[in-house]
Amino acid sequence: MSDEKHEHPITEYPGGLTERPGGPVPNFLKLTYVGFIIFGFAYLFLYLSGDGSELVELYNKLTAG
């Protein structure tokens, strides 16, 4: 086997974004992951507990649900 390091090229995208393989994950992306998980659990909880608002009751009457 060879001891050579295979360096990945740095890729630049429009808007000043730069891709560096093996680099750290940006903080905004970490917060996005956490936010989507919290939203998912909150949505699931609200869905399972039922909303009970007037709009939902109207929709249930219209669709016989």
Side-chain angles (χ1 to χ4, degrees):
M1 292 189 97
S2 173
D3 290 334
E4 295 178 22
K5 287 187 176 182
H6 297 286
E7 293 196 24
H8 299 285
I10 295 175
T11 307
E12 293 188 26
Y13 297 101
L17 296 176
T18 306
E19 177 186 5
R20 293 185 175 103
V25 177
N27 288 333
F28 79 91
L29 192 54
K30 292 177 186 177
L31 291 175
T32 302
Y33 292 150
V34 171
F36 275 121
I37 291 171
I38 290 171
F39 174 78
F41 281 121
Y43 187 85
L44 178 65
F45 174 75
L46 292 173
Y47 175 77
L48 292 177
S49 66
D51 185 12
S53 68
E54 293 177 19
L55 183 61
V56 172
E57 291 176 7
L58 178 63
Y59 177 76
N60 287 340
K61 286 178 186 177
L62 291 174
T63 59

